[in-house]
Amino acid sequence: MYPFSYTKVSDVPAAVKAGSDGGRYIAGGTTLVDLMRETVERPGALVDISALPLRDIAATKGGGLRIGALARMAEVAAHPTVRALYPVISQALELSASPQLRNMASIGGNIMQRPRCTYFRDVTAACNRREPGSGCAAREGFNRTHAILGTSDHCVATHPSDAAVAFAALEATVHLLGPGGERTVGFADFLLRPGATPQREQNLRPGELITAVEIPSHPRPLRSGYLKVRDRQSYEFALISAAVALHVRGGVIQTAKVAAGGVGTVSWKLSAVERRLIGQRPSEALWTQAAEVAAEGAQPLTHNGFKVELLKRTVERQLRVVGGTR
Amino acid sequence: MSPQPQKAVGSPLSRVEGRLKVTGRADYAVDHDIPGAVHAVVVDSSIALGRITGMDTSAAESYPGVLKVITHLNAPRLVYRDYPGTNPRGRRLRAFQDDQVLFFGQPVAVVVATTIEAAQHAASLVEVSYESRQSTTDLTGRPGNVIGNYARGDAEAAFAAADVRLERRFDLARNHHNPLEPHATTARWDGEKLTLWDKTQGVNLTRNEVCAVFDIPPENVRVISPFVGGGFGSGLRTWPHVIIAALAAREVGLPVKLALSRRQMYFTVGHRPRYDYRLRLGADRGGRVTAMLHEPSYETSNHESFWEATLALGQMLYNVPNVSQVLRNVPLDINTPLWMRGPGYSSTAFCIEVAMDELAHELGVDPVELRLRNEPTRDPSTGQAFSTRRLTECFRTGAREFGWSRRNPKPRSTRDGDWLIGTGVATGCYDTWLGQAQAHARLDANGTAAVQSATSDAGPGTYTSMTQLAADALGLAVREVEFRLGDTTMPVAPPQGSSQTMASVGSAVQDTCDKLRQQAIRLAVGDQRSPLHGVNPDDVVVIGGRLQVKDKPARGETYRQLFARNNLTHLEANGSYTPQADSPYSMYGYSAVFAEVGVDARLGLVRVRRILSVFDVGRVISPKLADSQALGGMIGGIGMALLEHTVTDHRDGRIVNANLADYLVPVNADIRDLRAIYLDGDDRRADPIGVKGLAELVKVGVAPAIANAVFHATGRRVHELPITAEALL
C-alpha cells in the first residue's frame, strides 16, 4: 500500500474543498481499501466522508425516493419504503456482496465501484483503465466474466454493481455537489462506457461528491424484482442479472423498466425489450419475444459467448417472475 | 492386559482446543509473540520463463524502516543438499541462488523491514527487469513423460471384443488448496540454532528441508507448529518462503516473520494438477466390466517430476480382468503441484465413476447394481484378501437411507418448478496409509496426564481424538488429559497427510498409554500397602483415575493414592507404532456417495440439494470431528465438481484468478443437506486401534456423484470439471 494522508471531514463544504484539492473520497472503503492494498489505487490523500449527513432515505414530493449517498447498502435494502415500492432495489442489494460488506458499503460507493476484471486488479498485467495506453490483457485473455455490450478496443470490463442495474432500470438520477455547485445527472449518463478513455468511469467533475441517488416517480402498483445468475449461490458478482419493473393496468403493460448486469461495461438499459413490452398483454410468448432482443448488438469475446443466450434467458425468466402468467 | 472401557472414544466431543481458536488465543505461525521480530515480504516474478537481467532495489532500500533487500545478487550461496524424503524427483527451486525464472510468481527478492507496512510497500518498489521467453503452461496436446505403467490380461483385445464400449476424454481443472491461514513462518536464529514457527503439516518435514538447504544438523533446528489453519495438503512440503524466512533472519540478525499474501498462495505452495484423462471401458451385456484402459496425463513443473497415486483405483476398485494403464506427467513452466485432498484418487474416481454411470445408462442397469456386479472378493491387483471391504454394505445402507429405490432412472424425469432434479451415485475409495510413529506420556501425581507426539492438527481434530484415546487408555476423564503436538522436540510422527494420523499416531498413543497404565498397575499389585497387592495385573482396569479389580470394583485405589504413598511425582512411558512390513492384506477405506442436484437448465445453474456418504472406515474415534471431516470433504467435492478452477493465461503463464473472489469455493448458501453414515465396526487387520483413514476418502467420489446427478437431471453428460453454466445451456 502506498503512503497516503487521511482527513475526516464533518461537513459537506469541507469535503468538497478537500476533494477539490485532490483528495479521494472514502466512505465504507470496501472497494478502495482492497485496491490500495493491491496497489491498483494509490491515492495520496483520503478524505473520509462517512460522517457527513447524507444518510437519509426519504420519499420525495414528486412521489419518488431519495437515497442519501452515505446510506449503507444494508439500510437501503431493509428500508420499508424501498421494500414496499421498489423491491428490485432491495433484492439487488441483498444479492450483493456479503452481510459484512453491506453493513459497511455506501450507496454512493456502490455505484462508484471499479471493475472486477482480474487484469485490472493485477498490477503486473496490461490494463488501459489502470494505466492508459498499456493495452487490454482481457480482450484476448481469459474473459469469461467480461462484457458483451458497450465494449471498446480499450476495455471490456463489466460494471460490477447490482444496485446500479436497478437504478438504470428505474431511470434514477444522481445528485452531485461540487465546487461549481449542485447538478443532477441521469443514471444513463452517469456511468461512462470505456470508449478510448476507459480510465474515465463516471461523469464526475473534479471534487464532485455524490450526495444522493433519486428514484423518480413511477406509476403504481409497480411490480419489480431482480434476478442474479451466478456460479455459486451467494457472494459472487453476476454472470448475468436482470432488473425488471412492470406497471400493468387493464391487463396491459403500461410501463416497463428493464436493465441487465454482468453484460455491459456499464449497467445496461434494455430499451428494445421495454418497447416490445409496452402496450402488450402479459403472456409467456410476450416474455420470450421481448427477451429475444435483449442481446442486440452483443459482441462476445473468446470465453463469454454463452452470455448472449444466457442474457436472453435471464431476462425472459425475470419478466415471467415479475409479470407472471405461468 | 484387560481391555479398558471405552468412554471417551466414540463420544461426540467438541474440539478440545476450540475455545482457544474461537477466542483468538490459538497462535498460528506468525501470531507468536517473538520479541524483536521484523517482517519480510516476498517479491514475486511477473514472467513465467526467462532470466532476471536487472534488479533495482534502491528505492526499496532507502524506504524508512527497511533493513535489507535480498535478491540472487546478494544472497549467500546455500547448500541445497538432496536427501531421502518427500520432495519430488528433480531439482527444487532454490531461493535467490541464480537469475533463472521457472514459473510465474516465483520469489525473486525479499524485503525485510521493521513493520509489515514498510515491508509490503518497499516490496512494491523493487524494480525487476527480465529477459522473458515464451512459456508453456497448457497441458493440452503435449506428449508428456511416461512415469507409470500397469497391465493385466489383454486390455486392448478385451476392449475390442467387448459388447459395449465407451471411450471418453476428461479434462479436470487445476485446483488450489486455499487453506484459510496463509503459509507463514517465523524464523529466529540463536547463534547456530534455528527456531521456526511454521505453518506445516509436519514439523519434521520442515526440519529436514531446512537442514538440507542450510547444511546444518537436525539438533540445531527446532520447528514449532501448534496450530495450523488448514492445509488440505499444501503443508506437506517445505516451500521456498520457509527458506527465505530463515535466510532473511540470518542476514538481518533478527527474528523474521513472513506470511504469503493470498495472491502468492496461488503461485508457490502447490496445487492439484490439471488432468487430461483418456479412459476406455468395455463390458458385457450383463454389466460386467471386461476391460479398462487408462491414459491419464497431469501437469508437472519443468524442474520436478510430480507424482501422485493416480493408478491404484484403476487396478483394484472393480473386478476387471483386463486393465492397462499408462500414466504421464507433462512438464510445464509452472510451479510443481502438490497433493491435494484425495490426491490422485479424486481425479481418477471422477473419470471411472462417470464412465461407470454412462455404462449403467447404456445397459439400462441401475448404477448401484452395476457396481455390485463388479465387486471383487479379493484385491484384483495383488490377489490379497481385503483387511475389510464393506462397499456393498455401504451401497445398500446408502440406497436405503437416501431413498434410491424411488428413483426414476430416466433422465429429465423429475421437475420442481424451473428445476430439473437428478440423483447420482459414485464409489469412493482411498488407501489406508500407515506410518511409523512415536509418542510419550506422563502421568502426574495429581492424576492428570500429558501425552505428546510431533504430529500436526491441520483441522481433522487430532488434539481431540488423541485425547480421547489417551483418556480411555489411562482410565482418566478427557479434561484430565492434555495432548500436545507440533514440535520437533517431541517423539517423531509422520506428516499429517494421506489420512495416516489417526491410525498411526493413534496406535502409538494407544501403545504409550497402555504401557503407562500397565506400569501403574504393576506398581500397585506389587505394593504390599496397596489394596491391589497380589492381584493379577491382567485383571486390573482403571476407571475414573482409580485402579480396580475388573470383577470386584470395590477393591482398588486411585492413581493419586498410589503415587502419594510411593512418593512418586510421576510415571512416564514411551511408545510407538510400526506398520507391519509385509501386511498380507489389501487395505483401503470405502464409501458410497449419493447426491441429489437441482439444475435450472434454462439458466445453467446447478445446486446440490443433498449428499449422503456411507463410509467403511473402520472404527470412528471421534464422531463429531469425523463428521466435520466428512462434511468438509463433501463441500470440497462440491467445489471440485461445480466451482473450483485455477485459470492460467497461457500467453504469459499468469494465474488469472489468484484471489478468493475469482477462484470460487462453495459458500454457506451452497451447502444444504449433507449427511455421513459410518458402518459400525473396526478393522483390526489394518492397525491395532482398528481405524482406516477418513480425511482423504471423504472427497473421493463426491464430484462424480454430482456429475452423475447432473446427467440424471438433464440428460447432459459433462466430461469437464468444473461443470459450469456454459456447459449446460
Side-chain angles (χ1 to χ4, degrees):
Chain A
M1 191 184 281
Y2 276 68
F4 59 90
S5 70
Y6 171 88
T7 316
K8 186 158 186 169
V9 289
S10 52
D11 59 67
V12 172
V16 171
K17 169 81 172 65
S20 306
D21 293 343
R24 278 289 295 279
Y25 297 128
I26 183 168
T30 56
T31 291
L32 185 55
V33 174
D34 273 10
L35 292 172
M36 287 168 67
R37 287 185 188 280
E38 299 288 350
T39 72
V40 173
E41 291 272 16
R42 303 171 183 186
L46 287 186
V47 180
D48 184 341
I49 57 170
S50 59
L52 300 184
L54 299 172
R55 215 164 160 171
D56 288 347
I57 303 167
T60 61
K61 282 181 192 144
L65 183 73
R66 186 183 162 109
I67 302 169
L70 288 173
R72 300 296 193 246
M73 289 170 72
E75 293 166 357
V76 179
H79 196 277
T81 310
V82 179
R83 277 211 198 287
L85 298 183
Y86 305 108
V88 64
I89 297 175
S90 286
Q91 291 170 18
L93 288 166
E94 287 179 340
L95 291 168
S96 303
S98 67
Q100 294 90 333
L101 290 165
R102 295 197 294 270
N103 285 335
M104 282 297 287
S106 66
I107 284 295
N110 182 287
I111 61 174
M112 290 290 290
Q113 277 182 88
R114 306 212 62 196
R116 299 301 306 190
C117 172
T118 61
Y119 298 99
F120 166 74
R121 301 170 77 87
D122 175 352
V123 291
T124 69
C127 174
N128 289 320
R129 270 189 206 258
R130 183 168 27 76
E131 205 180 324
S134 64
C136 172
R139 221 175 151 66
E140 305 296 328
F142 185 72
N143 46 38
R144 174 178 186 255
T145 59
H146 288 68
I148 54 174
L149 291 160
T151 56
S152 73
D153 286 345
H154 302 271
C155 185
V156 294
T158 56
H159 191 270
S161 165
D162 292 296
V165 181
F167 294 154
L170 295 173
E171 291 149 14
T173 54
V174 181
H175 290 257
L176 304 171
L177 177 67
E182 292 183 38
R183 67 184 182 113
T184 304
V185 178
F187 208 82
D189 300 319
F190 179 70
L191 298 179
L192 304 179
R193 298 187 195 186
T197 55
Q199 70 276 17
R200 283 210 63 209
E201 293 172 3
Q202 303 88 14
N203 178 352
L204 280 174
R205 297 170 187 158
E208 267 186 332
L209 181 68
I210 303 172
T211 54
V213 173
E214 184 175 334
I215 314 300
S217 169
H218 290 288
R220 292 177 195 162
L222 188 73
R223 277 190 287 175
S224 71
Y226 189 74
L227 175 63
K228 187 171 181 181
V229 175
R230 46 185 164 177
D231 298 299
R232 66 183 173 193
Q233 185 68 20
S234 180
Y235 202 34
E236 188 189 358
F237 290 90
L239 279 177
I240 307 279
S241 67
V244 170
L246 299 174
H247 170 62
V248 181
R249 203 178 59 228
V252 173
I253 297 169
Q254 308 288 339
T255 304
K257 302 294 175 193
V258 186
V263 290
T265 51
V266 298
S267 46
W268 204 258
K269 181 78 159 154
L270 295 173
S271 308
V273 175
E274 293 174 350
R275 282 194 298 273
R276 285 203 170 187
L277 294 168
I278 291 166
Q280 305 296 318
R281 292 181 175 275
S283 72
E284 289 292 328
L286 178 65
W287 308 144
T288 307
Q289 192 205 351
E292 199 51 45
V293 294
E296 265 183 1
Q299 291 183 300
L301 305 163
T302 328
H303 303 108
N304 68 2
F306 70 99
K307 283 191 171 186
V308 175
E309 180 60 25
L310 189 53
L311 170 59
K312 294 181 204 170
R313 295 186 185 187
T314 304
V315 170
E316 178 193 41
R317 172 71 59 82
Q318 191 58 7
L319 287 173
R320 195 218 309 151
V321 169
V322 173
T325 69
R326 183 181 284 178
Chain B
M1 148 172 109
S2 190
Q4 282 284 107
Q6 300 291 289
K7 290 183 161 175
V9 168
S11 46
L13 294 191
S14 295
R15 290 177 196 272
V16 295
E17 82 289 11
R19 182 177 291 268
L20 284 179
K21 284 181 171 168
V22 299
T23 56
R25 286 177 294 142
D27 284 339
Y28 292 85
V30 287
D31 295 340
H32 298 274
D33 185 16
I34 311 298
V38 297
H39 300 269
V41 170
V42 169
V43 179
D44 37 61
S45 75
S46 56
I47 65 162
L49 182 66
R51 76 186 184 87
I52 302 163
T53 53
M55 190 69 88
D56 182 356
T57 57
S58 53
E61 278 164 346
S62 59
Y63 192 74
V66 171
L67 301 170
K68 182 139 191 163
V69 180
I70 304 170
T71 73
H72 71 287
L73 297 172
N74 64 353
R77 297 305 95 174
L78 300 173
V79 176
Y80 274 97
R81 193 161 32 77
D82 279 329
Y83 63 97
T86 51
N87 286 343
R89 261 188 315 112
R91 187 179 190 276
R92 61 201 188 278
L93 182 77
R94 301 177 179 208
F96 314 145
Q97 298 298 293
D98 57 41
D99 61 357
Q100 297 298 306
V101 175
L102 306 181
F103 57 88
F104 198 101
Q106 170 189 317
V108 294
V110 66
V111 176
V112 190
T114 51
T115 65
I116 182 73
E117 291 81 6
Q120 280 171 345
H121 181 57
S124 71
L125 301 178
V126 174
E127 294 282 347
V128 189
S129 19
Y130 302 96
E131 187 181 289
S132 177
R133 286 184 283 141
Q134 179 57 49
S135 56
T136 304
T137 53
D138 189 354
L139 177 71
T140 312
R142 299 200 71 81
N145 302 319
V146 174
I147 56 164
N149 269 307
Y150 174 81
R152 71 169 176 255
D154 186 341
E156 287 286 354
F159 179 70
D163 295 343
V164 185
R165 285 189 292 273
L166 280 177
E167 179 166 357
R168 296 291 179 261
R169 191 150 203 154
F170 297 87
D171 185 351
L172 314 182
R174 185 194 291 190
N175 288 176
H176 266 78
H177 306 78
N178 276 313
L180 196 55
E181 182 198 16
H183 277 260
T185 304
T186 301
R188 186 182 72 200
W189 292 86
D190 300 288
E192 294 297 300
K193 304 262 186 188
L194 172 63
T195 306
L196 292 168
W197 291 262
D198 190 28
K199 176 204 175 78
T200 174
Q201 289 172 245
V203 286
N204 286 295
L205 286 176
T206 304
R207 177 157 74 173
N208 293 344
E209 175 75 359
V210 166
C211 289
V213 171
F214 289 91
D215 197 24
I216 47 179
E219 58 272 21
N220 283 4
V221 178
R222 181 179 177 192
V223 182
I224 300 169
S225 181
F227 298 105
V228 178
F232 311 107
S234 66
L236 287 171
R237 179 165 190 191
T238 306
W239 295 103
H241 67 275
V242 179
I243 305 304
I244 293 170
L247 178 66
R250 201 170 69 178
E251 290 297 297
V252 300
L254 291 167
V256 163
K257 293 185 171 189
L258 188 162
L260 297 184
S261 67
R262 181 56 62 183
R263 176 179 154 86
Q264 288 171 333
M265 291 285 290
Y266 289 84
F267 298 143
T268 57
V269 293
H271 58 269
R272 185 197 301 284
R274 183 180 165 199
Y275 270 76
D276 170 10
Y277 200 123
R278 183 174 178 232
L279 178 63
R280 287 177 288 161
L281 193 152
D284 65 22
R285 283 278 156 209
R288 275 167 299 270
V289 181
T290 52
M292 267 200 197
L293 297 89
H294 304 254
E295 291 164 74
S297 289
Y298 58 68
E299 301 171 314
T300 188
S301 65
N302 259 317
H303 53 287
E304 289 175 315
S305 178
F306 176 68
W307 178 89
E308 66 180 8
T310 306
L311 299 184
L313 278 186
Q315 296 171 15
M316 53 63 65
L317 191 56
Y318 297 116
N319 194 25
V320 183
N322 304 287
V323 175
S324 77
Q325 294 175 311
V326 182
L327 173 64
R328 291 180 177 86
N329 66 11
V330 180
L332 299 169
D333 300 311
I334 60 173
N335 185 29
T336 310
L338 187 60
W339 309 302
M340 178 171 162
R341 204 169 199 178
Y345 288 77
S346 294
S347 307
T348 307
F350 183 79
C351 307
I352 296 178
E353 291 303 293
V354 168
M356 287 294 277
D357 199 67
E358 293 190 65
L359 180 63
H361 180 70
E362 179 86 22
L363 293 168
V365 175
D366 179 82
V368 170
E369 173 58 26
L370 181 77
R371 287 167 174 86
L372 302 185
R373 285 186 195 172
N374 289 282
E375 179 68 7
T377 51
R378 298 180 81 82
D379 185 324
S381 66
T382 61
Q384 290 174 318
F386 295 109
S387 62
T388 49
R389 173 164 168 144
R390 302 166 67 192
L391 183 57
T392 301
E393 222 178 315
C394 290
F395 272 110
R396 297 232 156 96
T397 305
R400 186 182 68 236
E401 294 294 316
F402 192 76
W404 185 256
S405 63
R406 294 194 298 273
R407 179 187 199 245
N408 178 344
K410 195 170 174 296
R412 283 186 93 91
S413 58
T414 310
R415 188 177 267 282
D416 175 5
D418 290 319
W419 296 86
L420 295 168
I421 309 302
T423 52
V425 71
T427 304
C429 174
Y430 195 84
D431 194 358
T432 299
W433 271 60
L434 301 166
Q436 197 167 25
Q438 299 169 10
H440 174 268
R442 174 187 162 119
L443 181 59
D444 281 306
N446 65 0
T448 65
V451 184
Q452 53 179 317
S453 178
T455 181
S456 171
D457 188 350
T462 306
Y463 276 113
T464 309
S465 55
M466 297 302 160
T467 303
Q468 288 173 271
L469 274 179
D472 282 350
L474 293 169
L476 294 174
V478 164
R479 64 172 188 284
E480 292 165 331
V481 177
E482 186 187 0
F483 183 74
R484 297 170 192 155
L485 53 73
D487 190 326
T488 48
T489 60
M490 296 173 178
V492 176
Q496 186 160 58
S498 256
S499 296
Q500 64 186 314
T501 302
M502 193 69 252
S504 310
V505 180
S507 292
V509 165
Q510 182 76 49
D511 178 59
T512 307
C513 294
D514 282 345
K515 282 178 175 159
L516 186 54
R517 184 184 77 251
Q518 290 297 316
Q519 264 191 58
I521 291 171
R522 278 196 306 274
L523 179 67
V525 300
D527 179 353
Q528 291 187 343
R529 295 165 296 172
S530 169
L532 292 168
H533 180 250
V535 175
N536 181 346
D538 288 348
D539 294 337
V540 180
V541 294
V542 185
I543 295 170
R546 185 170 180 277
L547 303 82
Q548 60 196 44
V549 179
K550 195 179 170 214
D551 300 329
K552 290 185 198 135
R555 184 172 175 191
E557 64 173 333
T558 64
Y559 283 136
R560 284 169 187 246
Q561 290 166 329
L562 174 68
F563 281 40
R565 194 174 59 248
N566 286 281
N567 290 320
L568 281 176
T569 57
H570 67 279
L571 287 176
E572 60 190 320
N574 291 304
S576 64
Y577 167 68
T578 304
Q580 195 181 337
D582 299 304
S583 170
Y585 297 109
S586 164
M587 296 183 287
Y588 292 87
Y590 297 90
S591 64
V593 188
F594 294 79
E596 179 182 306
V597 303
V599 181
D600 188 325
R602 286 287 292 167
L603 302 181
L605 302 176
V606 182
R607 300 293 185 255
V608 175
R609 297 187 158 205
R610 58 189 177 118
I611 297 177
L612 167 68
S613 290
V614 183
F615 295 105
D616 160 22
V617 288
R619 190 157 71 124
V620 174
I621 303 295
S622 196
K624 189 170 181 178
L625 294 170
D627 262 358
S628 172
Q629 283 287 21
L631 271 49
M634 294 178 205
I635 293 165
I638 293 172
M640 182 179 179
L642 303 177
L643 298 169
E644 297 192 44
H645 182 191
T646 307
V647 180
T648 305
D649 187 330
H650 298 304
R651 293 174 302 174
D652 61 3
R654 167 193 316 274
I655 292 172
V656 179
N657 57 343
N659 64 73
L660 284 172
D662 296 297
Y663 181 100
L664 301 177
V665 296
V667 294
N668 275 326
D670 292 302
I671 304 310
R672 291 169 69 176
D673 177 9
L674 306 183
R675 183 180 169 207
I677 295 173
Y678 314 90
L679 297 183
D680 274 340
D682 60 21
D683 187 343
R684 302 280 172 181
R685 289 168 172 167
D687 51 78
I689 61 170
V691 308
K692 304 199 275 190
L694 180 66
E696 310 278 9
L697 172 65
V698 291
K699 186 154 179 176
V700 183
V702 178
I706 292 169
N708 294 340
V710 168
F711 170 76
H712 182 232
T714 63
R716 292 286 275 274
R717 187 65 75 176
V718 182
H719 297 104
E720 268 177 53
L721 288 184
I723 299 168
T724 54
E726 48 266 52
L728 296 171
L729 288 180

